[in-house]
Amino acid sequence: MVDYVIYGRGSFNQLDEILAPQRKDEAPIIFLVDHFFEGKTLPERIPLRGKDKIIFADVTHEPKTTNVDKIAGELKDEFGTVSGIIGIGGGSAMDLAKAVSLMMTNSGSAADYQGWDLVKLPGVYKAGIPTLSGTGAEVSRTTVLTGPTRKLGMNSDFTPFNQIVLDPELIADVPVNQRFYTGMDCYIHCIESLQGTYLNEFSKSYGEKALELCQEIFLKKDLWDHESDDKLMMASYAGGMSIAYSQVGVTHAVSYGLSFLLGTKHGIGNCIVMNHLEDYYPQGTVEFKQMVQKNGVEIPTGICKGLTDDQFDKMIDVSLGMKPLWENALGQDWEKIMTREKLRDLYEKL
Ligand SMILES: NC(=O)c1ccc[n+]([C@@H]2O[C@H](COP(=O)([O-])OP(=O)(O)OC[C@H]3O[C@@H](n4cnc5c(N)ncnc54)[C@H](O)[C@@H]3O)[C@@H](O)[C@H]2O)c1
Ligand SMILES: [Fe+2]
């Protein structure tokens, strides 16, 4: 779990104070900031000291193991070691920060650690500051990376942040569509966790709260205001906590295939899939569609049109490789339920 959490409007202003005890001699703190903020005012509010450095992270594409290796390698060449890595941004920038922190101390390539409990050493101090809410990356024990052969997280006890700063002011200006796609990632985490076979009271307690918050802001309220941002930030946190102790399900398993083959981003990919999951999450799919309509958002369709058999096979391979997700969704006999043919039909609908 995350060691320290601070939540509240304006809490970003406490960053200097929060980081002070983590500074080790001359070793700098590195701020990995979502490139959206380049030239904006947020970087000016970052409390730089000594050799501290801001690196703007290009998140046009979701993070790759090669990006992680490059940044960690350059930091080691330039500074030897660093006092900490602070990720400021959406799920992509936060995941990048987690992974770079781990690769400052673990040898080899980030690709060597894609999987479960392969990371051997704690990374350097790391903190996460979301500027976009929904993924739950701020609380999870994984960092999702696309490697040479697969898209898979570095899942480990060393992966969670040491500190997170949850300041709802930072998500106020996210464009409506992006806010919806990433917000729906949280909604889908709730549905998949609450309807999964891995469910337990821990996950349920967080999942139900997160679901209630999502329903309130995406369905019941007519206007998006500061209170909606406050709630979305807590929904993301609670939704993340819910899947931390259970698993995601069909939507994520299918959307990983899209992402691997077509580069479809996590939030929008999940929405594209959730739009067609009546057979698996009947209630959740209906409610999802109501949310789409209420928020006036467009969900792309026809994205698998014209793909070759080989391409469909690749997506099916990637998807069926996510065994724990399928088992959580469909139970131990999932392989009998989700055949390659059925999955192909589903991909063709997208
Ligand atoms: N570690 C985990 O547990 C976990 C869980 C789910 C998803 N993920 C990962 O998270 C990533 C998706 O994250 P995401 O949906 O947060 O999107 P993202 O981080 O990819 O960002 C999406 C877009 O929003 C922009 N953006 C970020 N903050 C903004 C702001 N305040 N205002 C305007 N624009 C802003 C970014 O520049 C980018 O263009 C994927 O890489 C996915 O694999 C990780
Ligand atoms: Fe997700």
Side-chain angles (χ1 to χ4, degrees), residues 34-37 59-60 62-63 89-93 95 98 131-133 135-138 140-145 151 170-175 178 181-182 185 189 243 252 256 265-267:
D34 190 310
H35 67 164
F36 168 80
F37 293 103
V59 295
T60 316
E62 296 184 348
S92 297
D95 272 3
K98 286 181 182 179
T131 65
L132 179 58
S133 282
T135 63
E138 63 276 27
S140 73
R141 79 191 277 286
T142 187
T143 156
V144 185
L145 301 172
K151 182 178 175 187
L170 303 182
I171 63 169
D173 300 323
V174 180
Q178 183 65 59
Y181 298 143
T182 303
D185 189 22
H189 291 161
I243 45 170
H252 279 76
Y256 270 103
K265 291 193 137 202
H266 188 81

mmCIF file of all heavy atoms in Angstrom, residues 34-37 59-60 62-63 89-93 95 98 131-133 135-138 140-145 151 170-175 178 181-182 185 189 243 252 256 265-267, ligand 1:
data_model
loop_
_atom_site.group_PDB
_atom_site.id
_atom_site.type_symbol
_atom_site.label_atom_id
_atom_site.label_comp_id
_atom_site.label_asym_id
_atom_site.label_seq_id
_atom_site.Cartn_x
_atom_site.Cartn_y
_atom_site.Cartn_z
ATOM 1 N N ASP A 34 3.786 15.296 -16.829
ATOM 2 C CA ASP A 34 3.029 15.107 -18.074
ATOM 3 C C ASP A 34 3.291 16.293 -19.014
ATOM 4 O O ASP A 34 3.180 17.455 -18.592
ATOM 5 C CB ASP A 34 1.539 15.045 -17.693
ATOM 6 C CG ASP A 34 0.660 14.625 -18.847
ATOM 7 O OD1 ASP A 34 0.777 15.210 -19.938
ATOM 8 O OD2 ASP A 34 -0.158 13.705 -18.643
ATOM 9 N N HIS A 35 3.626 16.002 -20.260
ATOM 10 C CA HIS A 35 4.005 17.074 -21.204
ATOM 11 C C HIS A 35 2.884 18.089 -21.439
ATOM 12 O O HIS A 35 3.126 19.188 -21.912
ATOM 13 C CB HIS A 35 4.502 16.484 -22.530
ATOM 14 C CG HIS A 35 3.449 15.770 -23.323
ATOM 15 N ND1 HIS A 35 3.592 15.446 -24.660
ATOM 16 C CD2 HIS A 35 2.219 15.311 -22.965
ATOM 17 C CE1 HIS A 35 2.511 14.824 -25.076
ATOM 18 N NE2 HIS A 35 1.664 14.733 -24.075
ATOM 19 N N PHE A 36 1.653 17.733 -21.064
ATOM 20 C CA PHE A 36 0.552 18.689 -21.187
ATOM 21 C C PHE A 36 0.881 19.993 -20.440
ATOM 22 O O PHE A 36 0.441 21.077 -20.823
ATOM 23 C CB PHE A 36 -0.739 18.071 -20.617
ATOM 24 C CG PHE A 36 -1.848 19.066 -20.437
ATOM 25 C CD1 PHE A 36 -2.628 19.463 -21.513
ATOM 26 C CD2 PHE A 36 -2.107 19.635 -19.188
ATOM 27 C CE1 PHE A 36 -3.642 20.395 -21.352
ATOM 28 C CE2 PHE A 36 -3.111 20.565 -19.019
ATOM 29 C CZ PHE A 36 -3.878 20.949 -20.100
ATOM 30 N N PHE A 37 1.682 19.892 -19.377
ATOM 31 C CA PHE A 37 1.940 21.060 -18.524
ATOM 32 C C PHE A 37 3.145 21.895 -18.967
ATOM 33 O O PHE A 37 3.446 22.893 -18.335
ATOM 34 C CB PHE A 37 2.108 20.621 -17.057
ATOM 35 C CG PHE A 37 0.829 20.090 -16.476
ATOM 36 C CD1 PHE A 37 0.630 18.732 -16.322
ATOM 37 C CD2 PHE A 37 -0.201 20.958 -16.126
ATOM 38 C CE1 PHE A 37 -0.567 18.242 -15.813
ATOM 39 C CE2 PHE A 37 -1.403 20.476 -15.619
ATOM 40 C CZ PHE A 37 -1.580 19.115 -15.468
ATOM 41 N N VAL A 59 3.511 11.675 -23.192
ATOM 42 C CA VAL A 59 2.594 10.546 -22.968
ATOM 43 C C VAL A 59 1.627 10.368 -24.137
ATOM 44 O O VAL A 59 0.536 9.838 -23.973
ATOM 45 C CB VAL A 59 1.814 10.690 -21.628
ATOM 46 C CG1 VAL A 59 2.772 10.630 -20.457
ATOM 47 C CG2 VAL A 59 0.996 11.980 -21.582
ATOM 48 N N THR A 60 2.073 10.800 -25.324
ATOM 49 C CA THR A 60 1.252 10.598 -26.521
ATOM 50 C C THR A 60 0.941 9.109 -26.650
ATOM 51 O O THR A 60 -0.150 8.709 -27.026
ATOM 52 C CB THR A 60 2.016 11.052 -27.789
ATOM 53 O OG1 THR A 60 2.638 12.299 -27.497
ATOM 54 C CG2 THR A 60 1.108 11.178 -28.976
ATOM 55 N N GLU A 62 1.251 5.346 -24.497
ATOM 56 C CA GLU A 62 1.393 4.865 -23.128
ATOM 57 C C GLU A 62 2.822 4.358 -22.915
ATOM 58 O O GLU A 62 3.493 3.960 -23.860
ATOM 59 C CB GLU A 62 0.344 3.785 -22.854
ATOM 60 C CG GLU A 62 -1.055 4.385 -22.951
ATOM 61 C CD GLU A 62 -2.196 3.431 -22.593
ATOM 62 O OE1 GLU A 62 -1.947 2.219 -22.473
ATOM 63 O OE2 GLU A 62 -3.317 3.924 -22.446
ATOM 64 N N PRO A 63 3.301 4.389 -21.667
ATOM 65 C CA PRO A 63 4.714 4.111 -21.407
ATOM 66 C C PRO A 63 5.201 2.731 -21.860
ATOM 67 O O PRO A 63 4.484 1.742 -21.778
ATOM 68 C CB PRO A 63 4.836 4.230 -19.887
ATOM 69 C CG PRO A 63 3.521 4.624 -19.355
ATOM 70 C CD PRO A 63 2.541 4.718 -20.457
ATOM 71 N N GLY A 89 0.891 13.768 -13.207
ATOM 72 C CA GLY A 89 0.148 13.627 -14.456
ATOM 73 C C GLY A 89 -0.938 12.579 -14.328
ATOM 74 O O GLY A 89 -1.382 12.244 -13.219
ATOM 75 N N GLY A 90 -1.341 12.043 -15.464
ATOM 76 C CA GLY A 90 -2.344 10.985 -15.460
ATOM 77 C C GLY A 90 -1.691 9.635 -15.181
ATOM 78 O O GLY A 90 -0.538 9.563 -14.721
ATOM 79 N N GLY A 91 -2.408 8.551 -15.473
ATOM 80 C CA GLY A 91 -1.886 7.214 -15.227
ATOM 81 C C GLY A 91 -0.546 6.976 -15.922
ATOM 82 O O GLY A 91 0.345 6.327 -15.364
ATOM 83 N N SER A 92 -0.380 7.536 -17.108
ATOM 84 C CA SER A 92 0.862 7.292 -17.857
ATOM 85 C C SER A 92 2.067 7.882 -17.135
ATOM 86 O O SER A 92 3.076 7.206 -16.944
ATOM 87 C CB SER A 92 0.766 7.889 -19.264
ATOM 88 O OG SER A 92 -0.243 7.264 -20.005
ATOM 89 N N ALA A 93 1.971 9.159 -16.739
ATOM 90 C CA ALA A 93 3.114 9.808 -16.075
ATOM 91 C C ALA A 93 3.372 9.160 -14.711
ATOM 92 O O ALA A 93 4.528 8.974 -14.309
ATOM 93 C CB ALA A 93 2.855 11.303 -15.920
ATOM 94 N N ASP A 95 2.687 6.021 -13.849
ATOM 95 C CA ASP A 95 3.285 4.697 -14.066
ATOM 96 C C ASP A 95 4.759 4.815 -14.447
ATOM 97 O O ASP A 95 5.598 4.039 -13.988
ATOM 98 C CB ASP A 95 2.539 3.947 -15.181
ATOM 99 C CG ASP A 95 1.353 3.168 -14.627
ATOM 100 O OD1 ASP A 95 1.091 3.263 -13.415
ATOM 101 O OD2 ASP A 95 0.698 2.451 -15.417
ATOM 102 N N LYS A 98 6.767 5.453 -11.322
ATOM 103 C CA LYS A 98 6.929 4.254 -10.492
ATOM 104 C C LYS A 98 8.011 3.356 -11.079
ATOM 105 O O LYS A 98 8.880 2.837 -10.373
ATOM 106 C CB LYS A 98 5.629 3.449 -10.471
ATOM 107 C CG LYS A 98 4.513 4.013 -9.643
ATOM 108 C CD LYS A 98 3.364 2.998 -9.780
ATOM 109 C CE LYS A 98 2.113 3.351 -9.096
ATOM 110 N NZ LYS A 98 1.066 2.344 -9.284
ATOM 111 N N THR A 131 -3.087 14.335 -12.010
ATOM 112 C CA THR A 131 -3.713 15.523 -12.596
ATOM 113 C C THR A 131 -4.900 15.091 -13.451
ATOM 114 O O THR A 131 -5.467 15.876 -14.196
ATOM 115 C CB THR A 131 -2.715 16.296 -13.476
ATOM 116 O OG1 THR A 131 -2.348 15.465 -14.598
ATOM 117 C CG2 THR A 131 -1.467 16.688 -12.703
ATOM 118 N N LEU A 132 -5.211 13.812 -13.379
ATOM 119 C CA LEU A 132 -6.300 13.208 -14.151
ATOM 120 C C LEU A 132 -6.698 12.003 -13.304
ATOM 121 O O LEU A 132 -5.829 11.263 -12.864
ATOM 122 C CB LEU A 132 -5.716 12.763 -15.504
ATOM 123 C CG LEU A 132 -6.573 12.083 -16.537
ATOM 124 C CD1 LEU A 132 -7.746 12.967 -16.907
ATOM 125 C CD2 LEU A 132 -5.737 11.832 -17.810
ATOM 126 N N SER A 133 -7.998 11.832 -13.047
ATOM 127 C CA SER A 133 -8.390 10.801 -12.075
ATOM 128 C C SER A 133 -9.185 9.680 -12.715
ATOM 129 O O SER A 133 -10.028 9.928 -13.589
ATOM 130 C CB SER A 133 -9.254 11.427 -10.973
ATOM 131 O OG SER A 133 -8.439 12.119 -10.068
ATOM 132 N N THR A 135 -7.737 6.079 -13.155
ATOM 133 C CA THR A 135 -7.013 4.816 -13.345
ATOM 134 C C THR A 135 -6.750 4.091 -12.035
ATOM 135 O O THR A 135 -6.617 2.869 -12.022
ATOM 136 C CB THR A 135 -5.640 5.032 -14.012
ATOM 137 O OG1 THR A 135 -4.843 5.840 -13.131
ATOM 138 C CG2 THR A 135 -5.769 5.721 -15.347
ATOM 139 N N GLY A 136 -6.627 4.846 -10.947
ATOM 140 C CA GLY A 136 -6.228 4.215 -9.685
ATOM 141 C C GLY A 136 -4.736 3.942 -9.640
ATOM 142 O O GLY A 136 -4.239 3.321 -8.691
ATOM 143 N N ALA A 137 -3.998 4.416 -10.652
ATOM 144 C CA ALA A 137 -2.540 4.188 -10.681
ATOM 145 C C ALA A 137 -1.883 4.792 -9.443
ATOM 146 O O ALA A 137 -0.813 4.357 -9.041
ATOM 147 C CB ALA A 137 -1.933 4.777 -11.944
ATOM 148 N N GLU A 138 -2.537 5.782 -8.832
ATOM 149 C CA GLU A 138 -1.953 6.414 -7.646
ATOM 150 C C GLU A 138 -1.891 5.451 -6.456
ATOM 151 O O GLU A 138 -1.096 5.662 -5.545
ATOM 152 C CB GLU A 138 -2.730 7.703 -7.276
ATOM 153 C CG GLU A 138 -4.192 7.552 -6.881
ATOM 154 C CD GLU A 138 -5.150 7.512 -8.083
ATOM 155 O OE1 GLU A 138 -4.724 7.099 -9.175
ATOM 156 O OE2 GLU A 138 -6.324 7.875 -7.919
ATOM 157 N N SER A 140 -2.170 1.762 -6.942
ATOM 158 C CA SER A 140 -2.024 0.342 -7.296
ATOM 159 C C SER A 140 -0.609 -0.181 -7.083
ATOM 160 O O SER A 140 0.343 0.582 -6.969
ATOM 161 C CB SER A 140 -2.425 0.124 -8.747
ATOM 162 O OG SER A 140 -1.425 0.647 -9.579
ATOM 163 N N ARG A 141 -0.488 -1.516 -7.050
ATOM 164 C CA ARG A 141 0.840 -2.121 -6.909
ATOM 165 C C ARG A 141 1.377 -2.593 -8.265
ATOM 166 O O ARG A 141 2.139 -3.540 -8.386
ATOM 167 C CB ARG A 141 0.816 -3.249 -5.856
ATOM 168 C CG ARG A 141 0.264 -4.563 -6.313
ATOM 169 C CD ARG A 141 0.044 -5.502 -5.153
ATOM 170 N NE ARG A 141 1.210 -6.263 -4.697
ATOM 171 C CZ ARG A 141 1.761 -7.294 -5.322
ATOM 172 N NH1 ARG A 141 1.307 -7.715 -6.480
ATOM 173 N NH2 ARG A 141 2.779 -7.929 -4.775
ATOM 174 N N THR A 142 1.001 -1.839 -9.304
ATOM 175 C CA THR A 142 1.517 -2.164 -10.621
ATOM 176 C C THR A 142 1.865 -0.908 -11.397
ATOM 177 O O THR A 142 1.463 0.197 -11.021
ATOM 178 C CB THR A 142 0.516 -3.032 -11.418
ATOM 179 O OG1 THR A 142 1.132 -3.456 -12.630
ATOM 180 C CG2 THR A 142 -0.756 -2.289 -11.747
ATOM 181 N N THR A 143 2.632 -1.070 -12.432
ATOM 182 C CA THR A 143 2.885 0.005 -13.385
ATOM 183 C C THR A 143 2.810 -0.637 -14.755
ATOM 184 O O THR A 143 3.580 -1.552 -15.064
ATOM 185 C CB THR A 143 4.238 0.699 -13.137
ATOM 186 O OG1 THR A 143 4.655 1.304 -14.351
ATOM 187 C CG2 THR A 143 5.321 -0.253 -12.649
ATOM 188 N N VAL A 144 1.832 -0.224 -15.537
ATOM 189 C CA VAL A 144 1.553 -0.938 -16.787
ATOM 190 C C VAL A 144 2.494 -0.463 -17.891
ATOM 191 O O VAL A 144 2.536 0.724 -18.208
ATOM 192 C CB VAL A 144 0.089 -0.718 -17.221
ATOM 193 C CG1 VAL A 144 -0.227 -1.561 -18.450
ATOM 194 C CG2 VAL A 144 -0.870 -1.040 -16.088
ATOM 195 N N LEU A 145 3.236 -1.404 -18.472
ATOM 196 C CA LEU A 145 4.213 -1.037 -19.493
ATOM 197 C C LEU A 145 4.068 -1.924 -20.713
ATOM 198 O O LEU A 145 3.777 -3.114 -20.591
ATOM 199 C CB LEU A 145 5.634 -1.218 -18.951
ATOM 200 C CG LEU A 145 6.001 -0.414 -17.707
ATOM 201 C CD1 LEU A 145 7.365 -0.855 -17.196
ATOM 202 C CD2 LEU A 145 6.002 1.079 -18.002
ATOM 203 N N LYS A 151 2.139 -6.366 -23.107
ATOM 204 C CA LYS A 151 1.779 -5.230 -22.282
ATOM 205 C C LYS A 151 1.419 -5.806 -20.924
ATOM 206 O O LYS A 151 0.417 -6.514 -20.792
ATOM 207 C CB LYS A 151 0.588 -4.492 -22.893
ATOM 208 C CG LYS A 151 0.202 -3.262 -22.095
ATOM 209 C CD LYS A 151 -0.950 -2.491 -22.709
ATOM 210 C CE LYS A 151 -1.325 -1.360 -21.758
ATOM 211 N NZ LYS A 151 -2.517 -0.642 -22.158
ATOM 212 N N LEU A 170 -6.035 20.126 -9.257
ATOM 213 C CA LEU A 170 -5.190 19.793 -10.414
ATOM 214 C C LEU A 170 -5.957 19.133 -11.551
ATOM 215 O O LEU A 170 -5.459 19.030 -12.665
ATOM 216 C CB LEU A 170 -4.028 18.886 -9.983
ATOM 217 C CG LEU A 170 -3.110 19.430 -8.886
ATOM 218 C CD1 LEU A 170 -1.988 18.438 -8.605
ATOM 219 C CD2 LEU A 170 -2.527 20.772 -9.275
ATOM 220 N N ILE A 171 -7.173 18.650 -11.259
ATOM 221 C CA ILE A 171 -7.910 17.969 -12.349
ATOM 222 C C ILE A 171 -9.035 18.850 -12.905
ATOM 223 O O ILE A 171 -9.830 18.411 -13.727
ATOM 224 C CB ILE A 171 -8.490 16.594 -11.906
ATOM 225 C CG1 ILE A 171 -9.520 16.733 -10.773
ATOM 226 C CG2 ILE A 171 -7.381 15.650 -11.471
ATOM 227 C CD1 ILE A 171 -10.296 15.451 -10.498
ATOM 228 N N ALA A 172 -9.058 20.108 -12.471
ATOM 229 C CA ALA A 172 -10.192 20.972 -12.829
ATOM 230 C C ALA A 172 -10.310 21.225 -14.335
ATOM 231 O O ALA A 172 -11.411 21.374 -14.854
ATOM 232 C CB ALA A 172 -10.096 22.290 -12.079
ATOM 233 N N ASP A 173 -9.170 21.272 -15.045
ATOM 234 C CA ASP A 173 -9.239 21.694 -16.451
ATOM 235 C C ASP A 173 -9.142 20.558 -17.460
ATOM 236 O O ASP A 173 -8.923 20.802 -18.643
ATOM 237 C CB ASP A 173 -8.125 22.715 -16.732
ATOM 238 C CG ASP A 173 -8.279 23.933 -15.833
ATOM 239 O OD1 ASP A 173 -9.434 24.329 -15.583
ATOM 240 O OD2 ASP A 173 -7.246 24.451 -15.364
ATOM 241 N N VAL A 174 -9.305 19.339 -17.012
ATOM 242 C CA VAL A 174 -9.211 18.218 -17.954
ATOM 243 C C VAL A 174 -10.392 18.315 -18.938
ATOM 244 O O VAL A 174 -11.526 18.528 -18.524
ATOM 245 C CB VAL A 174 -9.275 16.868 -17.202
ATOM 246 C CG1 VAL A 174 -9.189 15.712 -18.175
ATOM 247 C CG2 VAL A 174 -8.168 16.774 -16.157
ATOM 248 N N PRO A 175 -10.128 18.186 -20.250
ATOM 249 C CA PRO A 175 -11.227 18.241 -21.225
ATOM 250 C C PRO A 175 -12.287 17.152 -20.951
ATOM 251 O O PRO A 175 -11.944 16.065 -20.472
ATOM 252 C CB PRO A 175 -10.535 17.982 -22.565
ATOM 253 C CG PRO A 175 -9.084 18.205 -22.326
ATOM 254 C CD PRO A 175 -8.818 17.999 -20.867
ATOM 255 N N GLN A 178 -11.722 13.442 -22.199
ATOM 256 C CA GLN A 178 -10.643 12.746 -21.490
ATOM 257 C C GLN A 178 -11.072 12.425 -20.060
ATOM 258 O O GLN A 178 -10.820 11.334 -19.558
ATOM 259 C CB GLN A 178 -9.378 13.616 -21.478
ATOM 260 C CG GLN A 178 -8.188 12.940 -20.822
ATOM 261 C CD GLN A 178 -7.723 11.707 -21.586
ATOM 262 O OE1 GLN A 178 -7.370 11.797 -22.762
ATOM 263 N NE2 GLN A 178 -7.740 10.554 -20.947
ATOM 264 N N TYR A 181 -13.410 9.388 -20.292
ATOM 265 C CA TYR A 181 -12.750 8.108 -20.593
ATOM 266 C C TYR A 181 -11.989 7.594 -19.371
ATOM 267 O O TYR A 181 -12.081 6.418 -19.019
ATOM 268 C CB TYR A 181 -11.772 8.245 -21.765
ATOM 269 C CG TYR A 181 -12.402 8.656 -23.076
ATOM 270 C CD1 TYR A 181 -11.747 9.513 -23.955
ATOM 271 C CD2 TYR A 181 -13.663 8.186 -23.435
ATOM 272 C CE1 TYR A 181 -12.324 9.889 -25.157
ATOM 273 C CE2 TYR A 181 -14.243 8.563 -24.634
ATOM 274 C CZ TYR A 181 -13.574 9.417 -25.492
ATOM 275 O OH TYR A 181 -14.142 9.794 -26.682
ATOM 276 N N THR A 182 -11.217 8.474 -18.735
ATOM 277 C CA THR A 182 -10.432 8.029 -17.578
ATOM 278 C C THR A 182 -11.348 7.790 -16.379
ATOM 279 O O THR A 182 -11.135 6.846 -15.608
ATOM 280 C CB THR A 182 -9.302 9.040 -17.276
ATOM 281 O OG1 THR A 182 -8.485 9.176 -18.441
ATOM 282 C CG2 THR A 182 -8.425 8.581 -16.135
ATOM 283 N N ASP A 185 -12.786 4.441 -16.549
ATOM 284 C CA ASP A 185 -11.855 3.382 -16.133
ATOM 285 C C ASP A 185 -12.187 3.035 -14.681
ATOM 286 O O ASP A 185 -12.288 1.858 -14.315
ATOM 287 C CB ASP A 185 -10.418 3.879 -16.283
ATOM 288 C CG ASP A 185 -9.390 2.784 -16.086
ATOM 289 O OD1 ASP A 185 -9.738 1.602 -16.247
ATOM 290 O OD2 ASP A 185 -8.227 3.113 -15.775
ATOM 291 N N HIS A 189 -13.624 -0.385 -13.167
ATOM 292 C CA HIS A 189 -12.948 -1.108 -12.074
ATOM 293 C C HIS A 189 -13.978 -1.579 -11.043
ATOM 294 O O HIS A 189 -13.909 -2.703 -10.544
ATOM 295 C CB HIS A 189 -11.916 -0.200 -11.359
ATOM 296 C CG HIS A 189 -10.731 0.122 -12.214
ATOM 297 N ND1 HIS A 189 -9.909 1.184 -11.957
ATOM 298 C CD2 HIS A 189 -10.243 -0.484 -13.325
ATOM 299 C CE1 HIS A 189 -8.952 1.213 -12.875
ATOM 300 N NE2 HIS A 189 -9.138 0.221 -13.718
ATOM 301 N N ILE A 243 -9.641 -2.831 -6.658
ATOM 302 C CA ILE A 243 -9.010 -3.851 -7.512
ATOM 303 C C ILE A 243 -7.657 -4.308 -6.970
ATOM 304 O O ILE A 243 -7.182 -5.387 -7.328
ATOM 305 C CB ILE A 243 -8.848 -3.436 -8.991
ATOM 306 C CG1 ILE A 243 -8.318 -2.022 -9.121
ATOM 307 C CG2 ILE A 243 -10.111 -3.650 -9.776
ATOM 308 C CD1 ILE A 243 -7.918 -1.679 -10.540
ATOM 309 N N HIS A 252 -11.210 -5.123 -19.263
ATOM 310 C CA HIS A 252 -9.767 -4.900 -19.294
ATOM 311 C C HIS A 252 -9.049 -5.962 -20.125
ATOM 312 O O HIS A 252 -8.134 -5.643 -20.889
ATOM 313 C CB HIS A 252 -9.202 -4.864 -17.872
ATOM 314 C CG HIS A 252 -9.386 -3.530 -17.200
ATOM 315 N ND1 HIS A 252 -10.597 -3.126 -16.703
ATOM 316 C CD2 HIS A 252 -8.517 -2.514 -16.984
ATOM 317 C CE1 HIS A 252 -10.459 -1.909 -16.188
ATOM 318 N NE2 HIS A 252 -9.215 -1.515 -16.338
ATOM 319 N N TYR A 256 -6.912 -4.785 -23.361
ATOM 320 C CA TYR A 256 -5.453 -4.972 -23.460
ATOM 321 C C TYR A 256 -5.068 -5.441 -24.862
ATOM 322 O O TYR A 256 -4.018 -5.061 -25.394
ATOM 323 C CB TYR A 256 -4.954 -5.982 -22.422
ATOM 324 C CG TYR A 256 -4.577 -5.346 -21.105
ATOM 325 C CD1 TYR A 256 -5.400 -5.427 -19.998
ATOM 326 C CD2 TYR A 256 -3.376 -4.656 -20.979
ATOM 327 C CE1 TYR A 256 -5.054 -4.840 -18.788
ATOM 328 C CE2 TYR A 256 -3.015 -4.065 -19.780
ATOM 329 C CZ TYR A 256 -3.856 -4.156 -18.681
ATOM 330 O OH TYR A 256 -3.510 -3.580 -17.504
ATOM 331 N N LYS A 265 -5.748 3.692 -26.340
ATOM 332 C CA LYS A 265 -5.422 4.045 -24.948
ATOM 333 C C LYS A 265 -6.385 3.391 -23.962
ATOM 334 O O LYS A 265 -7.535 3.087 -24.298
ATOM 335 C CB LYS A 265 -5.415 5.559 -24.790
ATOM 336 C CG LYS A 265 -4.249 6.179 -25.536
ATOM 337 C CD LYS A 265 -4.068 7.612 -25.132
ATOM 338 C CE LYS A 265 -2.603 7.920 -24.927
ATOM 339 N NZ LYS A 265 -2.425 9.081 -24.075
ATOM 340 N N HIS A 266 -5.878 3.242 -22.749
ATOM 341 C CA HIS A 266 -6.577 2.463 -21.733
ATOM 342 C C HIS A 266 -8.026 2.928 -21.489
ATOM 343 O O HIS A 266 -8.954 2.118 -21.537
ATOM 344 C CB HIS A 266 -5.768 2.531 -20.432
ATOM 345 C CG HIS A 266 -6.252 1.638 -19.354
ATOM 346 N ND1 HIS A 266 -5.948 0.304 -19.308
ATOM 347 C CD2 HIS A 266 -7.037 1.885 -18.278
ATOM 348 C CE1 HIS A 266 -6.508 -0.233 -18.236
ATOM 349 N NE2 HIS A 266 -7.181 0.707 -17.600
ATOM 350 N N GLY A 267 -8.208 4.199 -21.231
ATOM 351 C CA GLY A 267 -9.544 4.708 -20.882
ATOM 352 C C GLY A 267 -10.532 4.527 -22.020
ATOM 353 O O GLY A 267 -11.606 3.926 -21.861
HETATM 354 N N1 LIG B 1 -0.871 1.396 -12.705
HETATM 355 C C1 LIG B 1 -2.147 1.143 -12.767
HETATM 356 O O1 LIG B 1 -2.699 0.565 -11.853
HETATM 357 C C2 LIG B 1 -2.937 1.554 -13.935
HETATM 358 C C3 LIG B 1 -4.320 1.360 -13.954
HETATM 359 C C4 LIG B 1 -5.015 1.766 -15.072
HETATM 360 C C5 LIG B 1 -4.364 2.385 -16.127
HETATM 361 N N2 LIG B 1 -3.017 2.554 -16.075
HETATM 362 C C6 LIG B 1 -2.288 3.206 -17.145
HETATM 363 O O2 LIG B 1 -2.615 4.588 -17.139
HETATM 364 C C7 LIG B 1 -2.541 5.103 -18.457
HETATM 365 C C8 LIG B 1 -3.801 5.848 -18.774
HETATM 366 O O3 LIG B 1 -3.891 6.926 -17.877
HETATM 367 P P1 LIG B 1 -4.929 8.105 -18.012
HETATM 368 O O4 LIG B 1 -6.223 7.603 -18.497
HETATM 369 O O5 LIG B 1 -4.867 8.816 -16.721
HETATM 370 O O6 LIG B 1 -4.362 8.974 -19.210
HETATM 371 P P2 LIG B 1 -2.900 9.468 -19.600
HETATM 372 O O7 LIG B 1 -2.026 9.607 -18.426
HETATM 373 O O8 LIG B 1 -2.420 8.616 -20.723
HETATM 374 O O9 LIG B 1 -3.222 10.931 -20.153
HETATM 375 C C9 LIG B 1 -4.192 11.127 -21.170
HETATM 376 C C10 LIG B 1 -4.088 12.539 -21.738
HETATM 377 O O10 LIG B 1 -4.496 13.504 -20.763
HETATM 378 C C11 LIG B 1 -3.532 14.536 -20.663
HETATM 379 N N3 LIG B 1 -3.640 15.158 -19.328
HETATM 380 C C12 LIG B 1 -3.198 14.708 -18.126
HETATM 381 N N4 LIG B 1 -3.541 15.565 -17.129
HETATM 382 C C13 LIG B 1 -4.237 16.570 -17.719
HETATM 383 C C14 LIG B 1 -4.860 17.750 -17.225
HETATM 384 N N5 LIG B 1 -4.890 18.065 -15.911
HETATM 385 N N6 LIG B 1 -5.491 18.552 -18.113
HETATM 386 C C15 LIG B 1 -5.527 18.233 -19.431
HETATM 387 N N7 LIG B 1 -4.947 17.139 -19.951
HETATM 388 C C16 LIG B 1 -4.311 16.314 -19.108
HETATM 389 C C17 LIG B 1 -2.237 13.862 -21.001
HETATM 390 O O11 LIG B 1 -1.261 14.775 -21.461
HETATM 391 C C18 LIG B 1 -2.665 12.917 -22.104
HETATM 392 O O12 LIG B 1 -2.708 13.575 -23.337
HETATM 393 C C19 LIG B 1 -2.275 3.921 -19.345
HETATM 394 O O13 LIG B 1 -0.899 3.901 -19.666
HETATM 395 C C20 LIG B 1 -2.657 2.730 -18.522
HETATM 396 O O14 LIG B 1 -1.954 1.570 -18.884
HETATM 397 C C21 LIG B 1 -2.325 2.166 -14.998
#
